Amino acid sequence: AQSVTQPDIHITVSEGASLELRCNYSYGATPYLFWYVQSPGQGLQLLLKYFSGDTLVQGIKGFEAEFKRSQSSFNLRKPSVHWSDAAEYFCAVGVRRKLIFGQGTELSVKP
Amino acid sequence: NAGVTQTPKFQVLKTGQSMTLQCAQDMNHNSMYWYRQDPGMGLRLIYYSASEGTTDKGEVPNGYNVSRLNKREFSLRLESAAPSQTSVYFCASSERGQLNSPLHFGNGTRLTVT
C-alpha cells in the first residue's frame, strides 16, 4: 500500500539556522508530492508541490524541496529559519487522485 | 474574502448524541472535503464531494454522513457520537480535485465526545 513517512515527530532549530524536514514515500511510480504547513489553531496551507520536471521546487515563504527518486524522498529545506516558521509540517503524496498525508513534523524555533 | 468557514469551533458531545458540522466556501470551488486530524496520524479523509451533487467515501467514513447542500456548502453529520470520534475536523475545498489544485482549509472544529 502507498504510504508517507515523516521520521521526525518534533524538531527544534535556532532562529537563523538551516532546516531540513524529511519525507519518504512508498509508491511504485513517481507520485505527486506536496508539503503543507499548519500554524497553531489554523488549517493547512500549501507550501509547494512537485508533479514532474525539475526535481528542485521552490515554494512560498522561502521554502524549497528536492525530489530524489533513488531515495524515494521529498525533503523540505529552508536556509535560514525565522521564529514565524514554528508550525507543523505535513508531507503528502498524491496517488490515483487521492492525497495521503504523513504524520507531520512539529517545528519549534528557539531564539 | 473569508475562504473556508467552519462552524462550530469547539463542541463537546455525550456518547450517542448527534450533531452536524457546517462548512461553507466562497471561492466557487468545485470540490470539497472533510478530514479528521488525530495526533500522530496526520490527516485522514472522511468524505469528499468532487462536484455539486456527488459525494464519495474517503479513508475513514464509518460513523459519518455528508451532504453537499449546494456548491458552497458541505456538511458532516455524526448520527451517534462515539469517543473514538474525538478529533479535530477540517473542511477543505479545491478548484478541481486534491492533486491538481491546492486545498484550502478551514480553521477546524475541535470535537470531544465523552
Side-chain angles (χ1 to χ4, degrees):
Chain A
Q2 298 81 26
S3 66
V4 184
T5 302
Q6 295 180 244
D8 304 305
I9 296 173
H10 188 208
I11 285 182
T12 299
V13 299
S14 297
E15 192 167 15
S18 63
L19 170 70
E20 183 168 24
L21 302 181
R22 297 183 290 164
C23 173
N24 294 96
Y25 65 89
S26 170
Y27 182 56
T30 300
Y32 290 7
L33 297 161
F34 305 79
W35 276 99
Y36 278 83
V37 60
Q38 183 181 28
S39 298
Q42 298 191 9
L44 281 69
Q45 179 185 21
L46 180 66
L47 279 177
L48 48 77
K49 63 185 179 186
Y50 172 79
F51 285 2
S52 65
D54 192 347
T55 57
L56 184 64
V57 292
Q58 303 297 321
I60 61 171
K61 305 186 182 190
F63 285 91
E64 66 178 27
E66 185 171 14
F67 168 57
K68 292 186 177 180
R69 185 190 307 274
S70 61
Q71 298 177 19
S72 297
S73 70
F74 189 56
N75 293 349
L76 182 70
R77 302 196 293 246
K78 186 168 185 179
S80 177
V81 169
H82 187 262
W83 64 266
S84 61
D85 293 324
E88 189 155 18
Y89 292 80
F90 292 91
C91 180
V93 170
V95 176
R96 298 193 195 97
R97 296 185 294 174
K98 298 286 178 64
L99 202 56
I100 301 170
F101 285 90
Q103 304 94 319
T105 298
E106 185 177 354
L107 173 66
S108 297
V109 180
K110 57 184 182 181
Chain B
N1 188 354
V4 178
T5 303
Q6 290 182 236
T7 55
K9 292 186 175 160
F10 301 93
Q11 184 71 50
V12 179
L13 292 178
K14 295 187 188 310
T15 297
Q17 288 184 319
S18 62
M19 78 160 295
T20 299
L21 280 64
Q22 306 287 353
C23 174
Q25 52 93 8
D26 62 2
M27 295 171 283
N28 201 35
H29 285 169
N30 291 308
S31 304
M32 297 185 74
Y33 312 85
W34 277 104
Y35 290 90
R36 60 177 289 173
Q37 183 179 28
D38 302 291
M41 306 281 290
L43 274 77
R44 293 180 292 169
L45 184 64
I46 305 171
Y47 269 93
Y48 67 100
S49 171
S51 61
E52 185 179 359
T54 70
T55 61
D56 285 287
K57 295 178 180 179
E59 186 183 354
V60 288
N62 291 346
Y64 306 95
N65 284 300
V66 290
S67 295
R68 184 75 182 265
L69 305 169
N70 47 54
K71 192 170 186 179
R72 290 187 65 248
E73 298 172 288
F74 188 39
S75 62
L76 178 72
R77 182 161 178 84
L78 286 70
E79 290 292 352
S80 179
S84 61
Q85 294 177 305
T86 293
S87 187
V88 181
Y89 291 85
F90 287 98
C91 178
S93 69
S94 69
E95 192 173 349
R96 53 188 189 285
Q98 294 182 72
L99 308 188
N100 295 318
S101 52
L103 293 173
H104 295 258
F105 285 83
N107 287 339
T109 296
R110 186 173 294 275
L111 175 66
T112 302
V113 183
T114 61

